[in-house]
Amino acid sequence: MISRRTATSLVSAGMLALFTALGAAAASAEEIVIKFSHVVAPNTPKGKAADKFKELAEKYTDGKVKVEVYPNSQLYKDKEELEALQLGAVQMLAPSLAKFGPLGIKQFEVFDLPFLFKDYDALHKVTYGEAGAEMLKLLEAKGITGLAYWDNGFKVMSANSPLHTPDDFLGLKMRIQSSKVLEAEMNALGAVPQVMAFSEVYQALQTGVVDGTENPPSNMFTQKMHEVQKNATISNHGYLGYAVIVNKKFWDDLPADVRGELEKALKEATEYGNGIARAENEAALKAMIDSGKTEFIELTAEERQAWVDAMKPVYEESAERIGADLIAKIQAAANGG
Ligand code: LMR
């Protein structure tokens, strides 16, 4: 015989167990939401890769994960989005490698060095290789996990006057991303660099707050910058690409099977995005040329050499900031194997 008191406590224990089980079931049925914020248009290499990740992540997790993609700085601008990621207000981003300096990670600015990569193949030796993986690990100290590199492309220089030689840059106000290497690049050309959020560039060009800028054709075209820039030079003088990053705590706390599916989705989205980046940029360049709004210049061999020579001092200056060893390592990786 059990006493009434024991019976009561058994019933309460049973109810507690039931509630706990119900609670756990509700929690496991709860959707995991990934807010993925970015600053470019959806029809760019990054925009398309983000949308592909959403599609695959939701498919592979059977809807357990919902990815909300916010393009065009809808949620946050450049600097804010990194802060938001650290605070956990968004879970995923793909900022340009030129934008990690303000976070205290200067090393990614190595990717901004002028004429560092001769083509996508050279770049991929770094971004798919050991050197690239080591750099992503630097983010851990900031509460961020780096998962992959996404390509955009090689930059054109634009302004409202023709840019044939370094002399043509003298005194021009040029918008740059927040990278000291890019600042050194514009200084080396005799221009006046001005750091500005991506979302503000079109208006700044339109109103003459700045005279020109640099960007891969896909960004220039989708932001309609060609409508407010009379001239551009297909200089391919530098590369712009991204690190795909997540809030470390969020990522580590995910159930292992879910994280595995997301990793698979990201790997495939990366292959897709990096597979279309070059063609996207070529198509954007062609569309701008066809529009006739901007006159595009191709450099002669001598003109190109003058650009290379003018920007050479950037390497020495940047070595002080990001390390001569790192520069040598990335150069070796890009040129080797
Ligand atoms: C820029 O600010 O020019 C680029 O970083 C924008 C982007 O994300 O491609």
Side-chain angles (χ1 to χ4, degrees), residues 112-145:
D112 299 326
L113 284 168
F115 300 105
L116 178 64
F117 303 111
K118 70 175 189 307
D119 52 26
Y120 280 98
D121 287 344
L123 163 80
H124 288 161
K125 285 184 184 139
V126 176
T127 53
Y128 286 118
E130 216 173 278
E134 271 172 31
M135 288 180 72
L136 289 179
K137 289 208 191 93
L138 297 170
L139 295 163
E140 303 266 315
K142 304 288 171 189
I144 293 172
T145 301

PDB file of all heavy atoms in Angstrom, residues 112-145:
ATOM      1  N   ASP A 112      43.515  42.572 -50.817  1.00  0.00           N
ATOM      2  CA  ASP A 112      43.331  43.848 -51.519  1.00  0.00           C
ATOM      3  C   ASP A 112      44.593  44.320 -52.239  1.00  0.00           C
ATOM      4  O   ASP A 112      44.561  45.336 -52.937  1.00  0.00           O
ATOM      5  CB  ASP A 112      42.920  44.946 -50.510  1.00  0.00           C
ATOM      6  CG  ASP A 112      41.611  44.623 -49.828  1.00  0.00           C
ATOM      7  OD1 ASP A 112      40.751  44.018 -50.480  1.00  0.00           O
ATOM      8  OD2 ASP A 112      41.454  44.975 -48.633  1.00  0.00           O
ATOM      9  N   LEU A 113      45.703  43.634 -52.033  1.00  0.00           N
ATOM     10  CA  LEU A 113      46.946  44.099 -52.657  1.00  0.00           C
ATOM     11  C   LEU A 113      46.802  44.159 -54.173  1.00  0.00           C
ATOM     12  O   LEU A 113      46.267  43.229 -54.795  1.00  0.00           O
ATOM     13  CB  LEU A 113      48.104  43.169 -52.290  1.00  0.00           C
ATOM     14  CG  LEU A 113      48.648  43.355 -50.866  1.00  0.00           C
ATOM     15  CD1 LEU A 113      49.581  42.207 -50.502  1.00  0.00           C
ATOM     16  CD2 LEU A 113      49.368  44.695 -50.722  1.00  0.00           C
ATOM     17  N   PRO A 114      47.271  45.264 -54.762  1.00  0.00           N
ATOM     18  CA  PRO A 114      47.100  45.424 -56.206  1.00  0.00           C
ATOM     19  C   PRO A 114      47.859  44.358 -57.010  1.00  0.00           C
ATOM     20  O   PRO A 114      48.999  44.027 -56.668  1.00  0.00           O
ATOM     21  CB  PRO A 114      47.664  46.819 -56.491  1.00  0.00           C
ATOM     22  CG  PRO A 114      48.348  47.265 -55.246  1.00  0.00           C
ATOM     23  CD  PRO A 114      47.851  46.436 -54.115  1.00  0.00           C
ATOM     24  N   PHE A 115      47.224  43.871 -58.037  1.00  0.00           N
ATOM     25  CA  PHE A 115      47.825  42.905 -58.969  1.00  0.00           C
ATOM     26  C   PHE A 115      48.383  41.674 -58.253  1.00  0.00           C
ATOM     27  O   PHE A 115      49.404  41.118 -58.653  1.00  0.00           O
ATOM     28  CB  PHE A 115      48.920  43.587 -59.808  1.00  0.00           C
ATOM     29  CG  PHE A 115      48.406  44.744 -60.631  1.00  0.00           C
ATOM     30  CD1 PHE A 115      48.668  46.073 -60.251  1.00  0.00           C
ATOM     31  CD2 PHE A 115      47.633  44.524 -61.762  1.00  0.00           C
ATOM     32  CE1 PHE A 115      48.178  47.137 -61.000  1.00  0.00           C
ATOM     33  CE2 PHE A 115      47.145  45.582 -62.521  1.00  0.00           C
ATOM     34  CZ  PHE A 115      47.415  46.892 -62.137  1.00  0.00           C
ATOM     35  N   LEU A 116      47.731  41.240 -57.191  1.00  0.00           N
ATOM     36  CA  LEU A 116      48.219  40.081 -56.422  1.00  0.00           C
ATOM     37  C   LEU A 116      47.888  38.761 -57.131  1.00  0.00           C
ATOM     38  O   LEU A 116      48.723  37.856 -57.186  1.00  0.00           O
ATOM     39  CB  LEU A 116      47.590  40.096 -55.026  1.00  0.00           C
ATOM     40  CG  LEU A 116      47.946  38.935 -54.099  1.00  0.00           C
ATOM     41  CD1 LEU A 116      49.433  38.946 -53.769  1.00  0.00           C
ATOM     42  CD2 LEU A 116      47.145  39.006 -52.794  1.00  0.00           C
ATOM     43  N   PHE A 117      46.674  38.658 -57.635  1.00  0.00           N
ATOM     44  CA  PHE A 117      46.243  37.405 -58.285  1.00  0.00           C
ATOM     45  C   PHE A 117      46.117  37.649 -59.783  1.00  0.00           C
ATOM     46  O   PHE A 117      45.424  38.570 -60.194  1.00  0.00           O
ATOM     47  CB  PHE A 117      44.872  36.968 -57.749  1.00  0.00           C
ATOM     48  CG  PHE A 117      44.845  36.794 -56.255  1.00  0.00           C
ATOM     49  CD1 PHE A 117      44.128  37.679 -55.448  1.00  0.00           C
ATOM     50  CD2 PHE A 117      45.550  35.752 -55.652  1.00  0.00           C
ATOM     51  CE1 PHE A 117      44.097  37.519 -54.068  1.00  0.00           C
ATOM     52  CE2 PHE A 117      45.529  35.591 -54.270  1.00  0.00           C
ATOM     53  CZ  PHE A 117      44.807  36.474 -53.471  1.00  0.00           C
ATOM     54  N   LYS A 118      46.740  36.793 -60.567  1.00  0.00           N
ATOM     55  CA  LYS A 118      46.652  37.073 -62.010  1.00  0.00           C
ATOM     56  C   LYS A 118      45.310  36.620 -62.593  1.00  0.00           C
ATOM     57  O   LYS A 118      44.871  37.130 -63.610  1.00  0.00           O
ATOM     58  CB  LYS A 118      47.855  36.529 -62.768  1.00  0.00           C
ATOM     59  CG  LYS A 118      47.959  35.032 -62.898  1.00  0.00           C
ATOM     60  CD  LYS A 118      49.170  34.707 -63.801  1.00  0.00           C
ATOM     61  CE  LYS A 118      49.247  33.252 -64.172  1.00  0.00           C
ATOM     62  NZ  LYS A 118      49.216  32.334 -63.018  1.00  0.00           N
ATOM     63  N   ASP A 119      44.666  35.691 -61.920  1.00  0.00           N
ATOM     64  CA  ASP A 119      43.349  35.247 -62.382  1.00  0.00           C
ATOM     65  C   ASP A 119      42.637  34.473 -61.261  1.00  0.00           C
ATOM     66  O   ASP A 119      43.182  34.328 -60.162  1.00  0.00           O
ATOM     67  CB  ASP A 119      43.471  34.389 -63.654  1.00  0.00           C
ATOM     68  CG  ASP A 119      44.480  33.256 -63.475  1.00  0.00           C
ATOM     69  OD1 ASP A 119      44.700  32.813 -62.326  1.00  0.00           O
ATOM     70  OD2 ASP A 119      45.057  32.808 -64.493  1.00  0.00           O
ATOM     71  N   TYR A 120      41.456  33.947 -61.578  1.00  0.00           N
ATOM     72  CA  TYR A 120      40.685  33.201 -60.565  1.00  0.00           C
ATOM     73  C   TYR A 120      41.435  31.947 -60.105  1.00  0.00           C
ATOM     74  O   TYR A 120      41.328  31.543 -58.961  1.00  0.00           O
ATOM     75  CB  TYR A 120      39.316  32.796 -61.117  1.00  0.00           C
ATOM     76  CG  TYR A 120      38.262  33.889 -61.118  1.00  0.00           C
ATOM     77  CD1 TYR A 120      37.987  34.623 -62.257  1.00  0.00           C
ATOM     78  CD2 TYR A 120      37.510  34.155 -59.972  1.00  0.00           C
ATOM     79  CE1 TYR A 120      36.991  35.600 -62.270  1.00  0.00           C
ATOM     80  CE2 TYR A 120      36.513  35.127 -59.970  1.00  0.00           C
ATOM     81  CZ  TYR A 120      36.262  35.842 -61.127  1.00  0.00           C
ATOM     82  OH  TYR A 120      35.280  36.798 -61.123  1.00  0.00           O
ATOM     83  N   ASP A 121      42.166  31.318 -61.024  1.00  0.00           N
ATOM     84  CA  ASP A 121      42.880  30.086 -60.640  1.00  0.00           C
ATOM     85  C   ASP A 121      43.899  30.376 -59.547  1.00  0.00           C
ATOM     86  O   ASP A 121      44.030  29.609 -58.590  1.00  0.00           O
ATOM     87  CB  ASP A 121      43.598  29.470 -61.851  1.00  0.00           C
ATOM     88  CG  ASP A 121      42.612  28.831 -62.810  1.00  0.00           C
ATOM     89  OD1 ASP A 121      41.453  28.608 -62.386  1.00  0.00           O
ATOM     90  OD2 ASP A 121      42.980  28.575 -63.969  1.00  0.00           O
ATOM     91  N   ALA A 122      44.624  31.471 -59.715  1.00  0.00           N
ATOM     92  CA  ALA A 122      45.630  31.844 -58.704  1.00  0.00           C
ATOM     93  C   ALA A 122      44.938  32.151 -57.368  1.00  0.00           C
ATOM     94  O   ALA A 122      45.393  31.723 -56.301  1.00  0.00           O
ATOM     95  CB  ALA A 122      46.421  33.054 -59.183  1.00  0.00           C
ATOM     96  N   LEU A 123      43.836  32.854 -57.433  1.00  0.00           N
ATOM     97  CA  LEU A 123      43.074  33.173 -56.222  1.00  0.00           C
ATOM     98  C   LEU A 123      42.615  31.900 -55.511  1.00  0.00           C
ATOM     99  O   LEU A 123      42.730  31.758 -54.294  1.00  0.00           O
ATOM    100  CB  LEU A 123      41.858  34.021 -56.609  1.00  0.00           C
ATOM    101  CG  LEU A 123      40.772  34.097 -55.541  1.00  0.00           C
ATOM    102  CD1 LEU A 123      41.161  35.116 -54.487  1.00  0.00           C
ATOM    103  CD2 LEU A 123      39.425  34.396 -56.136  1.00  0.00           C
ATOM    104  N   HIS A 124      42.114  30.938 -56.298  1.00  0.00           N
ATOM    105  CA  HIS A 124      41.574  29.705 -55.699  1.00  0.00           C
ATOM    106  C   HIS A 124      42.642  28.874 -55.015  1.00  0.00           C
ATOM    107  O   HIS A 124      42.346  28.106 -54.102  1.00  0.00           O
ATOM    108  CB  HIS A 124      40.854  28.874 -56.770  1.00  0.00           C
ATOM    109  CG  HIS A 124      39.557  29.496 -57.191  1.00  0.00           C
ATOM    110  ND1 HIS A 124      38.920  29.190 -58.353  1.00  0.00           N
ATOM    111  CD2 HIS A 124      38.780  30.437 -56.576  1.00  0.00           C
ATOM    112  CE1 HIS A 124      37.806  29.898 -58.448  1.00  0.00           C
ATOM    113  NE2 HIS A 124      37.707  30.667 -57.383  1.00  0.00           N
ATOM    114  N   LYS A 125      43.884  29.034 -55.457  1.00  0.00           N
ATOM    115  CA  LYS A 125      44.967  28.310 -54.764  1.00  0.00           C
ATOM    116  C   LYS A 125      45.053  28.780 -53.314  1.00  0.00           C
ATOM    117  O   LYS A 125      45.476  28.044 -52.434  1.00  0.00           O
ATOM    118  CB  LYS A 125      46.282  28.510 -55.496  1.00  0.00           C
ATOM    119  CG  LYS A 125      46.313  27.676 -56.752  1.00  0.00           C
ATOM    120  CD  LYS A 125      47.623  27.747 -57.472  1.00  0.00           C
ATOM    121  CE  LYS A 125      47.510  26.954 -58.759  1.00  0.00           C
ATOM    122  NZ  LYS A 125      48.168  27.614 -59.885  1.00  0.00           N
ATOM    123  N   VAL A 126      44.661  30.007 -53.088  1.00  0.00           N
ATOM    124  CA  VAL A 126      44.658  30.539 -51.710  1.00  0.00           C
ATOM    125  C   VAL A 126      43.338  30.203 -51.013  1.00  0.00           C
ATOM    126  O   VAL A 126      43.319  29.634 -49.932  1.00  0.00           O
ATOM    127  CB  VAL A 126      44.889  32.071 -51.703  1.00  0.00           C
ATOM    128  CG1 VAL A 126      44.780  32.629 -50.296  1.00  0.00           C
ATOM    129  CG2 VAL A 126      46.239  32.398 -52.319  1.00  0.00           C
ATOM    130  N   THR A 127      42.236  30.537 -51.680  1.00  0.00           N
ATOM    131  CA  THR A 127      40.945  30.410 -50.970  1.00  0.00           C
ATOM    132  C   THR A 127      40.506  28.959 -50.778  1.00  0.00           C
ATOM    133  O   THR A 127      39.742  28.669 -49.855  1.00  0.00           O
ATOM    134  CB  THR A 127      39.834  31.199 -51.701  1.00  0.00           C
ATOM    135  OG1 THR A 127      39.804  30.796 -53.078  1.00  0.00           O
ATOM    136  CG2 THR A 127      40.077  32.688 -51.621  1.00  0.00           C
ATOM    137  N   TYR A 128      40.965  28.062 -51.626  1.00  0.00           N
ATOM    138  CA  TYR A 128      40.638  26.644 -51.417  1.00  0.00           C
ATOM    139  C   TYR A 128      41.792  25.903 -50.740  1.00  0.00           C
ATOM    140  O   TYR A 128      41.724  24.696 -50.556  1.00  0.00           O
ATOM    141  CB  TYR A 128      40.316  25.949 -52.751  1.00  0.00           C
ATOM    142  CG  TYR A 128      38.955  26.332 -53.324  1.00  0.00           C
ATOM    143  CD1 TYR A 128      38.847  26.979 -54.552  1.00  0.00           C
ATOM    144  CD2 TYR A 128      37.787  26.030 -52.640  1.00  0.00           C
ATOM    145  CE1 TYR A 128      37.606  27.318 -55.087  1.00  0.00           C
ATOM    146  CE2 TYR A 128      36.543  26.368 -53.164  1.00  0.00           C
ATOM    147  CZ  TYR A 128      36.460  27.013 -54.384  1.00  0.00           C
ATOM    148  OH  TYR A 128      35.233  27.346 -54.900  1.00  0.00           O
ATOM    149  N   GLY A 129      42.845  26.631 -50.417  1.00  0.00           N
ATOM    150  CA  GLY A 129      44.042  25.982 -49.874  1.00  0.00           C
ATOM    151  C   GLY A 129      44.234  26.204 -48.380  1.00  0.00           C
ATOM    152  O   GLY A 129      43.371  26.754 -47.686  1.00  0.00           O
ATOM    153  N   GLU A 130      45.407  25.770 -47.939  1.00  0.00           N
ATOM    154  CA  GLU A 130      45.737  25.824 -46.516  1.00  0.00           C
ATOM    155  C   GLU A 130      45.828  27.267 -46.001  1.00  0.00           C
ATOM    156  O   GLU A 130      45.348  27.570 -44.913  1.00  0.00           O
ATOM    157  CB  GLU A 130      47.092  25.160 -46.344  1.00  0.00           C
ATOM    158  CG  GLU A 130      47.245  24.364 -45.067  1.00  0.00           C
ATOM    159  CD  GLU A 130      48.559  23.628 -45.102  1.00  0.00           C
ATOM    160  OE1 GLU A 130      48.613  22.550 -45.728  1.00  0.00           O
ATOM    161  OE2 GLU A 130      49.516  24.168 -44.538  1.00  0.00           O
ATOM    162  N   ALA A 131      46.448  28.133 -46.812  1.00  0.00           N
ATOM    163  CA  ALA A 131      46.632  29.523 -46.376  1.00  0.00           C
ATOM    164  C   ALA A 131      45.273  30.180 -46.107  1.00  0.00           C
ATOM    165  O   ALA A 131      45.101  30.894 -45.105  1.00  0.00           O
ATOM    166  CB  ALA A 131      47.407  30.302 -47.428  1.00  0.00           C
ATOM    167  N   GLY A 132      44.327  29.908 -46.975  1.00  0.00           N
ATOM    168  CA  GLY A 132      42.991  30.476 -46.801  1.00  0.00           C
ATOM    169  C   GLY A 132      42.317  29.939 -45.554  1.00  0.00           C
ATOM    170  O   GLY A 132      41.702  30.688 -44.780  1.00  0.00           O
ATOM    171  N   ALA A 133      42.442  28.631 -45.334  1.00  0.00           N
ATOM    172  CA  ALA A 133      41.807  28.000 -44.161  1.00  0.00           C
ATOM    173  C   ALA A 133      42.406  28.551 -42.869  1.00  0.00           C
ATOM    174  O   ALA A 133      41.680  28.824 -41.903  1.00  0.00           O
ATOM    175  CB  ALA A 133      41.990  26.491 -44.238  1.00  0.00           C
ATOM    176  N   GLU A 134      43.707  28.743 -42.872  1.00  0.00           N
ATOM    177  CA  GLU A 134      44.364  29.298 -41.667  1.00  0.00           C
ATOM    178  C   GLU A 134      43.840  30.694 -41.359  1.00  0.00           C
ATOM    179  O   GLU A 134      43.633  31.045 -40.197  1.00  0.00           O
ATOM    180  CB  GLU A 134      45.869  29.403 -41.895  1.00  0.00           C
ATOM    181  CG  GLU A 134      46.618  28.148 -41.503  1.00  0.00           C
ATOM    182  CD  GLU A 134      48.069  28.219 -41.924  1.00  0.00           C
ATOM    183  OE1 GLU A 134      48.646  29.334 -41.962  1.00  0.00           O
ATOM    184  OE2 GLU A 134      48.605  27.146 -42.237  1.00  0.00           O
ATOM    185  N   MET A 135      43.613  31.474 -42.397  1.00  0.00           N
ATOM    186  CA  MET A 135      43.133  32.838 -42.158  1.00  0.00           C
ATOM    187  C   MET A 135      41.718  32.835 -41.571  1.00  0.00           C
ATOM    188  O   MET A 135      41.406  33.652 -40.707  1.00  0.00           O
ATOM    189  CB  MET A 135      43.192  33.660 -43.440  1.00  0.00           C
ATOM    190  CG  MET A 135      44.632  33.984 -43.793  1.00  0.00           C
ATOM    191  SD  MET A 135      44.770  34.945 -45.273  1.00  0.00           S
ATOM    192  CE  MET A 135      44.170  36.495 -44.713  1.00  0.00           C
ATOM    193  N   LEU A 136      40.894  31.920 -42.027  1.00  0.00           N
ATOM    194  CA  LEU A 136      39.529  31.869 -41.482  1.00  0.00           C
ATOM    195  C   LEU A 136      39.555  31.598 -39.972  1.00  0.00           C
ATOM    196  O   LEU A 136      38.697  32.077 -39.231  1.00  0.00           O
ATOM    197  CB  LEU A 136      38.696  30.796 -42.192  1.00  0.00           C
ATOM    198  CG  LEU A 136      38.287  31.075 -43.641  1.00  0.00           C
ATOM    199  CD1 LEU A 136      37.493  29.908 -44.204  1.00  0.00           C
ATOM    200  CD2 LEU A 136      37.470  32.367 -43.770  1.00  0.00           C
ATOM    201  N   LYS A 137      40.564  30.858 -39.534  1.00  0.00           N
ATOM    202  CA  LYS A 137      40.645  30.525 -38.102  1.00  0.00           C
ATOM    203  C   LYS A 137      40.873  31.759 -37.224  1.00  0.00           C
ATOM    204  O   LYS A 137      40.544  31.752 -36.036  1.00  0.00           O
ATOM    205  CB  LYS A 137      41.772  29.522 -37.863  1.00  0.00           C
ATOM    206  CG  LYS A 137      41.445  28.152 -38.409  1.00  0.00           C
ATOM    207  CD  LYS A 137      42.172  27.053 -37.625  1.00  0.00           C
ATOM    208  CE  LYS A 137      42.059  25.736 -38.344  1.00  0.00           C
ATOM    209  NZ  LYS A 137      43.199  25.469 -39.250  1.00  0.00           N
ATOM    210  N   LEU A 138      41.436  32.819 -37.827  1.00  0.00           N
ATOM    211  CA  LEU A 138      41.685  34.045 -37.057  1.00  0.00           C
ATOM    212  C   LEU A 138      40.394  34.632 -36.497  1.00  0.00           C
ATOM    213  O   LEU A 138      40.394  35.374 -35.521  1.00  0.00           O
ATOM    214  CB  LEU A 138      42.348  35.105 -37.950  1.00  0.00           C
ATOM    215  CG  LEU A 138      43.730  34.776 -38.508  1.00  0.00           C
ATOM    216  CD1 LEU A 138      44.121  35.802 -39.559  1.00  0.00           C
ATOM    217  CD2 LEU A 138      44.752  34.745 -37.374  1.00  0.00           C
ATOM    218  N   LEU A 139      39.290  34.300 -37.138  1.00  0.00           N
ATOM    219  CA  LEU A 139      38.007  34.888 -36.754  1.00  0.00           C
ATOM    220  C   LEU A 139      37.472  34.349 -35.434  1.00  0.00           C
ATOM    221  O   LEU A 139      36.664  34.998 -34.769  1.00  0.00           O
ATOM    222  CB  LEU A 139      36.976  34.638 -37.867  1.00  0.00           C
ATOM    223  CG  LEU A 139      37.279  35.336 -39.192  1.00  0.00           C
ATOM    224  CD1 LEU A 139      36.472  34.714 -40.317  1.00  0.00           C
ATOM    225  CD2 LEU A 139      36.965  36.821 -39.084  1.00  0.00           C
ATOM    226  N   GLU A 140      37.915  33.159 -35.082  1.00  0.00           N
ATOM    227  CA  GLU A 140      37.405  32.504 -33.851  1.00  0.00           C
ATOM    228  C   GLU A 140      37.536  33.407 -32.627  1.00  0.00           C
ATOM    229  O   GLU A 140      36.647  33.469 -31.782  1.00  0.00           O
ATOM    230  CB  GLU A 140      38.172  31.204 -33.590  1.00  0.00           C
ATOM    231  CG  GLU A 140      38.123  30.221 -34.743  1.00  0.00           C
ATOM    232  CD  GLU A 140      37.007  29.202 -34.617  1.00  0.00           C
ATOM    233  OE1 GLU A 140      36.825  28.666 -33.526  1.00  0.00           O
ATOM    234  OE2 GLU A 140      36.316  28.967 -35.634  1.00  0.00           O
ATOM    235  N   ALA A 141      38.656  34.103 -32.552  1.00  0.00           N
ATOM    236  CA  ALA A 141      38.917  34.974 -31.403  1.00  0.00           C
ATOM    237  C   ALA A 141      37.886  36.090 -31.279  1.00  0.00           C
ATOM    238  O   ALA A 141      37.767  36.727 -30.228  1.00  0.00           O
ATOM    239  CB  ALA A 141      40.310  35.565 -31.529  1.00  0.00           C
ATOM    240  N   LYS A 142      37.157  36.332 -32.347  1.00  0.00           N
ATOM    241  CA  LYS A 142      36.137  37.397 -32.336  1.00  0.00           C
ATOM    242  C   LYS A 142      34.727  36.821 -32.207  1.00  0.00           C
ATOM    243  O   LYS A 142      33.739  37.495 -32.497  1.00  0.00           O
ATOM    244  CB  LYS A 142      36.222  38.222 -33.635  1.00  0.00           C
ATOM    245  CG  LYS A 142      37.580  38.820 -33.882  1.00  0.00           C
ATOM    246  CD  LYS A 142      37.843  39.950 -32.911  1.00  0.00           C
ATOM    247  CE  LYS A 142      39.287  40.422 -32.996  1.00  0.00           C
ATOM    248  NZ  LYS A 142      39.633  41.364 -31.941  1.00  0.00           N
ATOM    249  N   GLY A 143      34.642  35.541 -31.862  1.00  0.00           N
ATOM    250  CA  GLY A 143      33.322  34.923 -31.712  1.00  0.00           C
ATOM    251  C   GLY A 143      32.663  34.616 -33.044  1.00  0.00           C
ATOM    252  O   GLY A 143      31.435  34.537 -33.151  1.00  0.00           O
ATOM    253  N   ILE A 144      33.510  34.460 -34.064  1.00  0.00           N
ATOM    254  CA  ILE A 144      32.992  34.239 -35.424  1.00  0.00           C
ATOM    255  C   ILE A 144      33.636  32.973 -36.007  1.00  0.00           C
ATOM    256  O   ILE A 144      34.822  32.733 -35.806  1.00  0.00           O
ATOM    257  CB  ILE A 144      33.342  35.459 -36.320  1.00  0.00           C
ATOM    258  CG1 ILE A 144      32.568  36.699 -35.849  1.00  0.00           C
ATOM    259  CG2 ILE A 144      33.073  35.179 -37.789  1.00  0.00           C
ATOM    260  CD1 ILE A 144      32.985  37.994 -36.529  1.00  0.00           C
ATOM    261  N   THR A 145      32.844  32.183 -36.714  1.00  0.00           N
ATOM    262  CA  THR A 145      33.398  31.028 -37.422  1.00  0.00           C
ATOM    263  C   THR A 145      33.376  31.321 -38.921  1.00  0.00           C
ATOM    264  O   THR A 145      32.337  31.701 -39.469  1.00  0.00           O
ATOM    265  CB  THR A 145      32.560  29.759 -37.130  1.00  0.00           C
ATOM    266  OG1 THR A 145      32.581  29.536 -35.710  1.00  0.00           O
ATOM    267  CG2 THR A 145      33.145  28.539 -37.824  1.00  0.00           C
TER     268      THR A 145
END
